[in-house]
């Protein structure tokens, strides 16, 4: 075997980022451990995270407790849920009113009632979100990768014509934008594994087309002319060189995506039948994001996250009017999430697609933090509720939160963990930490929980120190 | 590099193994309880450490630590706890196949030894607490005097490299053509492209010292020098121009930094002011804070210690901020003592975020350089530290920064990676001479830059790193990619060049390195500056090329350029020549001119020019520094 053939073999298999690391001695990692897919049987090929940014109150969504309807002069300490409980497709499992459609598909799902967010002191949404998305608590000496980047780095794209990590709905123009940017990154893994951002699902197709104002023909001609010019360039005589090869390979990859009719169809929501489109449309940006996630999953996406976006005091960040706002929020997620489950099932994709519905922490009317680790209150709760705007779960509760899982090898119609029936309705059995949740998602994808890459000569694991174990009871 | 050849070896082994001989019979595990130190360590010491310890990791396998031992190498885990018969290690030591038997050289393991290994694996792979096979290299801290060898070369770098060239059979005198040199040196000093006139003037200059004159002139361009180098130093100092996190800290040092660069502040003073802050320089040790409680290894005092060590000393104490390091000799206690210098009161030592009950006494990492008065107030201690670090006895300060400059100009350091200054260098005399000269001449960064940039070594044709060789050999500067800032400034220059009477070295607005981080720059690799970055990722990625091919900001720039050149009134042939000259610093070949002409067509229109501009912006000759 001569060194020329090996070079070519290596080039065809290694990503450009790996090449970059080798070529320039750059600070990005080199792979130390390859994922051995034979040793760990995966149960999913694709992950869809449906992100309820801002803190979704579990007692007003998937884990109903004592319902006390609104009335003037109400003692807030009496209220555990502001919605009555409803039945789901599974005996004994109740949701709150407004989640009937998701309730109807609960027989395909697993509900974790006992997600416990970390103790990070004075609550900051973006910091808990950072932790949820990386399994690491900031700040850190090394930029930690987003879970989507870990999966992208470890497994690569499912369909090579699609970006492996697609992030739908988050913008970076809110009050905590810099903190949000800190975890929407591939970190030390290198930008080859960074998220592909789509903000408005309706306009997603623009991201995989020539720039606005340029026709496909002109775009193709420009690239043809470019290649011709390079062929005529004296630089071609210089022989092979990594920097140049990675540049040309990246341009080629970009053009493959931007002129790929099939990939483009997946991004184009205008091709969706009207009835289906309208079902998802009720959820606004989030709902259409679910539709886009379904289309991308059909096309072979690897990791997708869908969110309304995190904006301080908006959406699930209910510092006031919690009840009223949750009524609307639930109406926005109920149909799209249920439809996503049914659509994937009808297309025989649900078994290999793991849907994760989650939020950085839960909320409670009284408690900030968790019983054993109370932190400074951020929301003023009157001793008597005399206005509707005070009726709702407004404080940040980290003791127990709901995570809903569908497909991807998880049990069907299953509930994991127990929460107390009285305030603070915290975890009483089988807590699940963020790190365990990560380990479980990685396990489903066939990635060992102690999988790592080296940075600065030390191993950096998918979960801190590689110690968190997956919760195997969740798996079917 | 090494990994590839091992990967190959792995392939060869797989191919060869199709007809492999039967292994020795598996002996039963020893029945007694085995002790790692007594029974196992001697076997590993004798048979494994030559290839799998002390930084060596043949087949990706290192036995330095328990965790690396268990993790195994390229062929998978070495041992499976409790299942010795199925463990790869046992299979390999019993093999009779010369391609796979371990150890690959020397005496084979006796069956008694294999029995012990089996028992050890079955009994739970117990390791001696804190034990490692690794012995780490510690580079001397003191400066080392180097006599400049005699020889015909005038530049000290070339004089010092002469014996190296003859030993490695490298022809000393080859140099790149003028237009490549001019482009290279412009980008390396002021981060801008040379104008066609500047390229021509250099080419037509027949004076023998024209390289020196150009380097001197560029280093005198204070404004552009500062606006280029502010990028590198802001990456090092986490100097984000926008708010960092929701929580405080991360004070900007932009004004202080720009002024320091403009006046070429002596590096020792520069470092002193960052450690013991004067007005406007306190952002570096102030650290980055998030609201809430943070891990003990990330309190601001610890951040200050980690970052001062990394940036100024090329020393990684991040591991030792949590526990005694696995990658060097630094201990948790030493790190806490160092961090305590930055602390108001005594710090509680935490191991892996749990308090040990000990208090740390403020002390510097290298006590031989000077001591800190532990009783003095914080301000005084920090001042003492700033003086100790910049004392002439600390050769490491100078070595670290001259090595950074070398790595920037030549694409790879004399020591590599640049933040691991305990690693061996490929030319100790060169490193030590440069460091001494720098310290002896007032820590003048521009002086060292001039020495490097006027060397013949710097004029050598660019090379790619040869990843197949075990040991790096210097052949010339490595091909590098433009930074986000260089790239965008260059594009601006090419657009502005469409106008008449354009001022020299003009980008038409604020230079990219002075602007806030935006999506385009972020995609092109400018870091967020939440962690120290001393070298950026330099290789193109698909995400970048998607952004450059369809992203609005860049598409808008191309349209702006198209309009500017359409409005210039030049004919198509002139535009082609001028675009090539401005973007690539050279004339197009006849074939290139023809293909470019065919893009523009007969009558010039903005859209076609925008397309040609894009083609040139994506050209490897534009994006890379050769």
């Amino acid at each position: 075997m001569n060194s020329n053939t090996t070079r070519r073999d290596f080039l065809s298999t290694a990503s450009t980022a790996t090449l970059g690391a080798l070529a320039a001695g750059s600070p990005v990692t080199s792979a130390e451990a390859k994922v051995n897919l034979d040793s760990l049987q995966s149960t999913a090929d694709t992950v869809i995270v449906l992100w309820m940014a801002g803190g979704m109150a579990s007692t007003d969504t998937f884990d109903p407790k004592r319902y006390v309807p609104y009335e003037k002069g109400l003692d807030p300490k009496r209220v555990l849920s502001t919605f009555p409980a409803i039945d789901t497709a599974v005996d004994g499992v109740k949701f709150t009113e407004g989640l009937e459609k998701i309730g109807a598909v609960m027989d395909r799902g697993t509900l974790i009632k006992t997600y416990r967010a970390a103790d990070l002191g004075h609550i900051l949404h973006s910091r808990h979100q950072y932790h949820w998305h990386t399994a690491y608590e900031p700040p850190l000496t090394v930029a930690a990768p987003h879970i989507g980047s870990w999966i992208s780095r470890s497994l690569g794209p499912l369909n090579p014509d699609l970006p492996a990590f697609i992030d739908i709905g988050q913008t970076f123009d809110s009050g905590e934008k810099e903190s949000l940017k800190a975890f929407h990154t591939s970190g030390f893994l290198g930008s080859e594994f960074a998220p592909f951002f789509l903000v408005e699902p309706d306009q997603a197709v623009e991201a995989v087309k020539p720039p606005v104002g340029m026709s496909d023909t002109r775009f193709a001609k420009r690239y043809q002319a470019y290649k011709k010019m390079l062929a005529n360039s004296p630089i071609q005589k210089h022989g092979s060189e990594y920097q140049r090869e990675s540049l040309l390979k990246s341009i080629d990859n970009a053009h493959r995506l931007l002129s790929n009719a099939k990939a483009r169809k997946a991004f184009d929501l205008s091709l969706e039948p009207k009835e289906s489109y309208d079902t998802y449309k009720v959820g606004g940006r989030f709902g259409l994001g679910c539709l886009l996630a379904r289309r991308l999953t059909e096309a072979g996406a690897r990791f997708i996250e869908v969110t309304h976006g995190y904006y301080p005091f908006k959406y699930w960040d209910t510092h006031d009017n919690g009840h009223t706002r949750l009524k609307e929020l639930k109406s926005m997620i109920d149909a799209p999430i249920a439809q996503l489950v049914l659509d994937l099932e009808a297309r025989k994709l649900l078994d290999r697609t793991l849907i994760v519905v989650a939020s950085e922490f839960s909320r409670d009317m009284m408690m900030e933090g968790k019983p054993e680790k109370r932190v400074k209150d951020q929301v003023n709760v009157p001793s008597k509720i005399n206005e509707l705007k005070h009726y709702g779960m407004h404080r940040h509760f980290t003791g127990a939160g709901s995570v809903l899982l569908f497909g991807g090898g998880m049990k069907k119609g299953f509930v994991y963990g127990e929460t107390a029936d009285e305030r603070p309705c915290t975890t009483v059995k089988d807590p699940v930490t963020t790190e365990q949740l990560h380990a479980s998602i990685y396990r489903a994808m066939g990635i060992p929980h102690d999988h790592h890459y080296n940075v600065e000569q030390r191993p950096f694991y998918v979960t801190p120190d590689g110690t968190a174990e997956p919760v195997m009871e969740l798996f079917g | 590099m090494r990994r590839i050849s091992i990967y190959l070896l792995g392939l060869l082994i797989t191919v060869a193994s199709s007809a492999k001989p039967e292994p020795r019979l598996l002996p039963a595990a020893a029945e007694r309880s085995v002790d790692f130190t007594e029974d196992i360590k001697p076997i590993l010491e004798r048979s494994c450490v030559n290839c799998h310890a002390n930084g060596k990791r043949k087949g990706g396998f290192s036995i330095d630590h328990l965790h690396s031992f268990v993790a195994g190498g390229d062929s998978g885990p070495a041992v499976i706890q409790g299942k010795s018969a199925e463990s790869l290690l046992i299979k390999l030591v019993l093999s009779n196949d010369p391609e796979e038997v371990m150890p690959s050289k020397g005496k084979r393991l006796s069956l008694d030894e294999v029995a012990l290994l089996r028992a050890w694996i079955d009994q739970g792979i117990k390791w001696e607490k804190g034990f490692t096979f690794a012995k780490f290299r510690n580079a001397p801290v003191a400066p080392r005097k180097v006599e400049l060898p005699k020889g015909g070369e005038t530049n000290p770098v070339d004089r010092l490299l002469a014996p190296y060239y003859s030993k490695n059979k490298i022809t000393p005198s080859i140099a790149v053509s003028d237009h490549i040199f001019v482009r290279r040196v412009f980008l390396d000093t002021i981060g801008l492209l040379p104008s066609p006139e500047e390229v021509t003037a250099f080419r037509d200059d027949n004076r023998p010292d024209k390289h020196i004159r150009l380097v001197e002139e560029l280093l005198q361009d204070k404004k552009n020098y500062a606006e280029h180098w502010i990028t590198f130093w802001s990456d090092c100092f986490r100097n984000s121009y926008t708010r960092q996190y929701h929580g405080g800290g991360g004070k900007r040092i932009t004004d202080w930094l720009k002024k320091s660069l403009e006046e070429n502040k002596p590096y020792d003073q520069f470092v002193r002011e960052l450690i013991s802050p004067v007005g406007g320089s306190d952002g570096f040790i102030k650290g980055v804070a998030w609201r809430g409680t943070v891990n003990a290894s990330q309190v601001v005092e610890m951040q200050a210690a980690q970052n001062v060590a990394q940036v100024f000393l090329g020393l990684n104490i991040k591991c030792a901020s949590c526990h005694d390091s696995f990658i060097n000799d630094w201990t948790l206690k030493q790190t806490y003592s160092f961090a305590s210098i930055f602390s108001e009161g005594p710090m509680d030592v935490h191991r892996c975020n749990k308090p040990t009950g000990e208090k740390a006494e403020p002390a510097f990492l290298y006590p031989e350089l000077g001591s800190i008065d532990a009783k003095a107030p914080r301000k005084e201690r920090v001042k003492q530290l700033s003086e100790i670090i910049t004392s002439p006895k600390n050769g490491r300060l100078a070595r670290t920064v001259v090595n950074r400059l070398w790595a920037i100009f030549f694409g790879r350091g004399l020591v590599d990676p640049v933040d691991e200054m305990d690693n061996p260098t490929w030319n100790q005399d060169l490193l030590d001479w440069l460091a001494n000269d720098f310290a002896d001449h007032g820590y003048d960064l521009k002086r060292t830059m001039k020495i490097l940039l006027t060397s013949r070594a710097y004029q050598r044709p660019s090379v790619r790193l040869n990843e197949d060789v075990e040991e790096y050999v210097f052949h010339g500067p490595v091909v590098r990619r433009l930074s986000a800032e260089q790239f965008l400034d260059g594009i601006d220059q090419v657009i502005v060049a469409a106008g008449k009477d354009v001022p020299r070295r003009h980008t038409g607005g604020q230079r990219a390195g002075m602007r806030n981080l935006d999506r385009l720059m972020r995609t092109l690799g400018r870091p967020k500056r939440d962690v120290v970055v001393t070298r950026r990722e330099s290789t193109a990625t698909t995400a970048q090329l998607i952004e450059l091919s369809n992203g609005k900001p860049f598409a808008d720039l191309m349209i702006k350029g198209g309009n500017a050149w359409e409005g210039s009134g030049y004919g198509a042939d002139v535009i082609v020549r001028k675009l090539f000259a401005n973007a690539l610093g050279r004339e197009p070949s006849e074939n290139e001119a023809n293909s470019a002409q065919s893009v523009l067509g007969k009558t010039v229109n903005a859209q076609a020019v925008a397309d040609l501009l894009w083609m040139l912006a994506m050209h490897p000759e534009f994006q890379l520094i050769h």
Side-chain angles (χ1 to χ4, degrees):
Chain A
M1 196 180 288
N2 71 47
S3 69
N4 280 334
T5 30
T6 39
R7 166 77 33 67
R8 221 174 301 131
D9 290 349
F10 181 69
L11 265 178
S12 65
T13 52
S15 77
T16 48
T18 321
L19 293 175
L22 294 168
S26 70
V28 289
T29 174
S30 55
E32 283 295 323
K34 287 185 213 79
V35 179
N36 189 345
L37 289 170
D38 299 332
S39 72
L40 212 52
Q41 196 64 52
S42 69
T43 62
D45 300 318
T46 302
V47 175
I48 302 173
V49 171
L50 303 178
W51 184 243
M52 307 294 131
M56 175 183 74
S58 55
T59 57
D60 267 350
T61 51
F62 299 106
D63 190 10
K65 301 292 179 187
R66 186 175 61 244
Y67 165 57
V68 182
Y70 173 73
E71 58 181 37
K72 266 195 179 229
L74 189 63
D75 176 1
K77 293 198 191 75
R78 283 178 52 219
V79 188
L80 300 180
S81 286
T82 70
F83 294 89
I86 56 156
D87 287 335
T88 69
V90 181
D91 284 347
V93 179
K94 310 261 186 199
F95 288 169
T96 63
E97 188 179 73
L99 294 170
E100 287 75 10
K101 293 193 171 72
I102 302 179
V105 297
M106 182 53 210
D107 54 348
R108 283 89 160 171
T110 279
L111 171 65
I112 299 171
K113 284 186 170 183
T114 49
Y115 158 64
R116 280 169 70 81
D119 303 312
L120 302 177
H122 195 40
I123 298 283
L124 178 65
H125 287 275
S126 50
R127 194 155 174 246
H128 276 276
Q129 291 186 23
Y130 184 117
H131 182 228
W132 197 95
H133 284 87
T134 66
Y136 285 83
E137 298 172 9
L140 298 157
T141 56
V142 171
H146 190 290
I147 185 172
S149 298
W150 276 115
I151 289 174
S152 158
R153 173 73 182 89
S154 306
L155 302 177
L158 192 54
N159 170 355
D161 289 342
L162 290 183
F165 172 10
I166 298 172
D167 192 291
I168 305 167
Q170 183 64 55
T171 62
F172 300 98
D173 43 20
S174 78
E176 283 172 51
K177 62 183 173 188
E178 295 303 326
S179 310
L180 289 174
K181 282 180 197 164
F183 67 88
H184 281 91
T185 164
S186 46
F188 78 90
L189 291 177
S191 58
E192 189 69 23
F193 309 102
F196 185 75
F197 288 111
L198 300 167
V199 177
E200 294 298 342
D202 257 341
Q203 294 155 25
V205 69
E206 302 298 340
V208 290
K209 275 169 70 172
V212 178
M214 189 182 288
S215 68
D216 282 320
T217 322
R218 183 178 149 208
F219 186 73
K221 266 176 72 183
R222 181 175 81 168
Y223 189 43
Q224 286 308 319
Y226 169 76
K227 285 199 281 196
K228 199 175 152 207
M229 189 172 83
L230 280 201
N232 286 328
S233 160
I235 198 170
Q236 292 307 109
K237 298 186 203 112
H238 289 188
S240 95
E241 196 278 305
Y242 278 141
Q243 289 281 9
R244 187 168 75 245
E245 282 167 28
S246 70
L247 175 62
L248 299 183
K249 191 175 162 210
S250 299
I251 297 183
D252 203 56
N253 286 344
H255 279 75
R256 246 197 1 244
L257 173 70
L258 298 173
S259 42
N260 181 327
K262 215 172 139 200
R264 194 182 296 179
K265 276 185 190 153
F267 286 83
D268 191 349
L269 296 192
S270 72
L271 301 174
E272 185 73 13
K274 185 170 185 316
E275 194 187 344
S276 165
Y277 181 92
D278 288 345
T279 306
Y280 286 99
K281 179 84 168 62
V282 297
R285 183 195 277 176
F286 173 80
L288 290 178
C290 290
L291 173 59
L292 183 56
R294 191 212 77 206
R295 296 182 64 93
L296 292 170
T297 303
E298 288 176 81
R302 178 64 86 184
F303 182 95
I304 307 167
E305 176 156 344
V306 182
T307 176
H308 285 291
Y310 171 65
Y311 304 93
F313 313 117
K314 301 234 170 74
Y315 296 108
W316 297 96
D317 191 13
T318 50
H319 283 230
D320 61 9
N321 272 312
H323 174 76
T324 317
R325 284 168 61 182
L326 250 69
K327 204 183 283 179
E328 193 199 343
L329 283 162
K330 287 195 275 187
S331 77
M332 291 171 88
I333 66 164
D334 193 34
I337 293 178
Q339 196 62 39
L340 176 62
V341 172
L342 293 172
D343 279 1
L344 288 176
E345 186 178 64
R347 287 160 178 79
K348 305 210 177 333
L349 290 167
L350 186 61
D351 284 347
R352 299 290 298 173
T353 304
L354 175 58
I355 301 173
V356 182
V357 183
S359 187
E360 63 265 35
F361 40 63
S362 182
R363 286 180 175 274
D364 181 55
M365 204 176 278
M366 301 308 298
M367 180 162 289
E368 184 94 3
K370 49 174 77 88
E372 65 278 23
K373 283 260 167 129
R374 293 199 67 150
V375 297
K376 188 170 169 260
D377 287 337
Q378 290 187 41
V379 181
N380 195 25
V381 177
S383 56
K384 295 272 180 247
I385 298 179
N386 287 317
E387 287 175 272
L388 190 59
K389 73 173 183 186
H390 292 305
Y391 183 60
M393 303 298 146
H394 298 153
R395 286 185 174 159
H396 311 91
F397 184 60
T398 54
S402 295
V403 177
L404 197 50
L405 307 167
F406 292 98
M410 298 298 139
K411 286 200 174 109
K412 295 174 182 172
F414 178 66
V415 174
Y416 185 80
E418 273 177 34
T419 49
D421 285 331
E422 290 299 328
R423 175 155 283 119
C425 304
T426 196
T427 300
V428 293
K429 197 178 159 215
D430 296 335
V432 177
T433 63
T434 302
E435 292 79 5
Q436 286 173 300
L437 200 54
H438 276 240
S440 306
I441 295 171
Y442 289 127
R443 178 66 185 77
M445 296 299 277
I447 300 170
H449 59 92
D450 58 351
H451 178 53
H452 64 274
Y453 296 98
N454 278 8
V455 56
E456 295 173 353
Q457 297 185 69
R458 59 185 169 145
F460 199 105
Y461 296 87
V462 288
T463 60
D465 292 332
T467 51
E469 299 269 355
V471 183
M472 292 314 293
E473 292 91 326
L474 303 173
F475 289 78
Chain B
M1 292 116 255
R2 197 173 303 154
R3 185 160 301 111
I4 296 174
S5 44
I6 285 158
Y7 170 72
L8 258 185
L9 193 68
L11 282 181
L12 288 173
I13 290 171
T14 325
V15 172
S17 64
S18 47
K20 66 178 182 186
E22 285 295 307
R24 290 188 284 168
L25 281 179
L26 180 70
E31 281 177 22
R32 65 183 171 86
S33 151
V34 298
D35 179 79
F36 173 75
T37 315
E38 289 284 311
D39 302 317
I40 303 301
K41 207 161 90 180
I43 304 176
L44 301 179
E45 288 270 14
R46 196 194 71 224
S47 304
C48 311
V49 296
N50 275 345
C51 304
H52 301 290
N54 229 338
K56 288 191 197 155
R57 39 192 319 130
K58 262 199 168 164
F61 180 46
S62 162
I63 66 164
D64 277 344
H65 313 285
L66 174 60
H67 69 82
S68 66
F69 189 101
V70 173
D74 296 342
S75 326
V79 286
I80 305 163
Q81 192 170 334
K83 293 184 180 170
S84 62
E86 293 162 39
S87 292
L88 182 63
L89 178 75
I90 300 299
K91 286 185 185 153
L92 294 182
V93 296
L94 288 175
S95 172
N96 273 321
D97 181 349
E99 296 290 340
E100 69 168 35
V101 64
M102 286 291 157
S104 57
K105 283 181 201 144
K107 199 164 156 258
R108 293 203 308 181
L109 265 57
S110 70
L111 291 178
D112 286 346
E113 287 170 329
V114 178
L116 282 172
L117 281 177
R118 282 201 63 183
W120 178 60
I121 295 167
D122 292 340
Q123 291 167 18
I125 319 179
K126 302 244 168 45
W127 196 266
E128 188 181 312
K129 196 167 179 286
F131 174 77
T132 168
F133 284 103
K135 291 174 189 64
F136 301 104
R137 184 181 190 274
N138 290 306
V141 173
R144 175 177 151 258
K145 190 111 186 90
V146 176
E147 288 301 328
L148 209 52
K150 298 206 181 344
E153 296 284 356
T154 48
N155 183 288
V157 170
D158 298 324
R159 192 94 66 82
L160 285 153
L161 279 174
Y164 180 84
Y165 287 154
S166 64
K167 188 177 143 223
N168 287 288
K169 302 190 175 55
I170 295 166
T171 318
S173 57
I174 45 172
V176 289
S177 56
D178 284 345
H179 80 268
I180 293 179
F181 175 80
V182 175
R183 192 174 192 275
R184 186 188 281 179
V185 76
F186 263 70
L187 287 164
D188 277 339
T189 49
I190 60 170
L192 293 173
L193 301 175
S195 68
E197 295 73 31
E198 285 167 315
V199 177
T200 312
F202 184 78
R203 201 185 49 208
D204 295 345
D205 189 345
N206 291 320
R207 290 173 293 190
D209 60 348
K210 67 175 179 177
H211 292 87
I212 299 174
R213 285 168 183 272
L214 178 60
V215 169
E216 281 174 347
E217 192 269 308
L218 287 168
L219 290 174
Q220 287 306 315
D221 184 347
K222 290 181 185 172
K223 178 179 176 290
N224 282 314
Y225 169 89
E227 293 188 353
H228 168 57
W229 284 91
I230 199 164
T231 291
F232 168 72
W233 290 113
S234 290
D235 283 4
C236 288
F237 302 140
R238 305 197 288 187
N239 181 40
S240 169
Y241 301 166
T242 46
R243 180 181 185 170
Q244 192 53 267
Y245 298 135
H246 212 74
K251 234 180 128 186
R252 286 189 280 275
I253 59 167
T254 313
D255 294 342
W256 174 87
L257 188 52
K258 184 151 182 276
K259 190 161 171 288
S260 301
L261 293 170
E262 276 166 356
E263 65 192 37
N264 191 31
K265 185 172 283 172
Y267 185 67
D268 55 341
Q269 185 189 344
F270 183 75
V271 172
R272 275 196 298 274
E273 290 181 8
L274 283 160
I275 294 176
S276 174
V278 297
S281 68
D282 50 353
F284 180 51
I285 62 163
K286 211 164 171 242
V288 176
W290 285 75
R291 186 202 286 174
T293 51
V294 302
N295 188 287
S297 65
Q298 278 302 310
V299 296
V300 288
E301 295 88 347
M302 200 54 100
Q303 291 181 32
Q306 289 163 348
N307 296 337
V308 164
Q310 179 180 355
V311 177
F312 299 137
L313 301 174
L315 179 64
N316 185 342
I317 57 166
K318 294 174 189 174
C319 301
S321 310
C322 260
H323 46 69
D324 294 349
S325 178
F326 299 142
I327 64 159
N328 52 39
D329 288 331
W330 297 101
T331 64
L332 182 68
K333 220 173 148 200
Q334 285 172 306
T335 306
Y336 265 91
S337 292
F338 183 37
S340 292
I341 301 174
F342 301 97
S343 163
E344 289 294 348
M347 287 175 77
D348 294 316
V349 178
H350 284 66
R351 176 173 289 110
C352 299
N353 209 26
K354 297 205 171 54
T356 64
E358 291 167 276
K359 297 263 184 214
E361 179 93 337
F364 183 48
L365 297 163
Y366 300 102
E368 65 268 38
L369 295 180
S371 59
I372 303 282
D373 177 6
K375 301 278 171 292
R378 177 187 183 276
K379 204 174 168 201
E380 182 57 32
R381 274 180 270 135
V382 167
K383 187 161 178 290
Q384 286 171 3
L385 173 68
S386 76
E387 280 155 13
I388 293 170
I389 279 196
T390 57
S391 99
K393 286 196 283 183
N394 182 12
R396 189 156 177 138
L397 178 82
R399 284 191 192 97
T400 302
V401 71
V402 299
N403 187 55
R404 291 199 192 285
L405 295 181
W406 183 283
I408 290 168
F409 297 149
F410 292 91
R412 189 200 186 274
L414 293 160
V415 177
D416 182 78
V418 288
D419 293 332
E420 301 289 343
M421 287 303 288
D422 284 311
N423 283 354
T425 163
W426 56 267
N427 201 319
Q428 191 71 50
D429 283 354
L430 183 51
L431 176 66
D432 288 339
W433 187 91
L434 285 168
N436 282 345
D437 179 78
F438 174 65
D440 289 348
H441 294 87
Y443 292 86
D444 179 352
L445 288 166
K446 284 190 179 176
R447 176 189 164 89
T448 302
M449 287 181 190
K450 186 183 153 191
I451 291 171
L452 301 183
L453 297 172
T454 57
S455 68
R456 283 171 185 270
Y458 179 73
Q459 292 174 38
R460 296 180 67 79
S462 60
V463 295
R464 56 161 222 216
L465 274 182
N466 188 349
E467 72 292 345
D468 288 337
V469 294
E470 289 267 327
E471 204 167 314
Y472 171 76
V473 177
F474 174 79
H475 286 275
V478 177
V479 179
R480 290 161 290 149
R481 186 147 178 260
L482 297 183
S483 67
E485 291 86 349
Q486 287 169 326
F487 177 77
L488 292 174
D489 281 343
I491 296 291
D492 283 345
Q493 284 181 280
V494 176
I495 294 172
V496 167
K500 304 278 187 303
D501 302 322
V502 184
R504 199 173 72 136
R505 296 169 194 169
H506 187 57
T507 63
Q510 199 179 27
R511 285 190 58 182
M514 302 304 298
R515 300 202 293 261
N516 288 352
L517 182 59
D518 57 24
R519 171 170 164 164
L520 182 54
M521 270 196 271
R522 185 165 148 81
T523 309
L524 292 176
R526 173 153 150 192
K528 194 180 134 44
R529 295 178 179 158
D530 51 350
V531 295
V532 168
V533 172
T534 60
R535 287 196 79 182
R536 289 191 188 172
E537 223 182 306
S538 66
T539 308
T541 66
T542 304
Q544 291 174 349
L545 272 301
I546 291 173
E547 186 68 36
L548 294 175
S549 301
N550 94 328
K552 189 170 186 316
F554 197 69
D556 287 349
L557 266 179
M558 297 298 98
I559 292 166
K560 184 181 166 196
N563 287 330
W565 281 94
E566 184 193 34
S568 70
Y570 296 120
D573 55 335
V574 179
I575 290 180
V576 167
R577 273 193 293 115
K578 281 185 178 283
L579 280 179
F580 265 79
N582 279 284
L584 308 185
R586 65 171 174 87
E587 295 276 314
S589 72
E590 201 183 321
N591 277 337
E592 285 177 314
N594 288 341
S595 49
Q597 287 275 3
S598 67
V599 174
L600 290 192
K602 288 199 180 65
T603 48
V604 176
N605 74 79
Q607 205 175 69
V609 183
D611 287 354
L612 179 58
L613 185 56
W614 180 87
M615 289 161 56
L616 287 165
M618 296 306 115
H619 201 295
E621 263 182 85
F622 183 78
Q623 295 212 3
L624 304 178
I625 304 176
H626 279 99

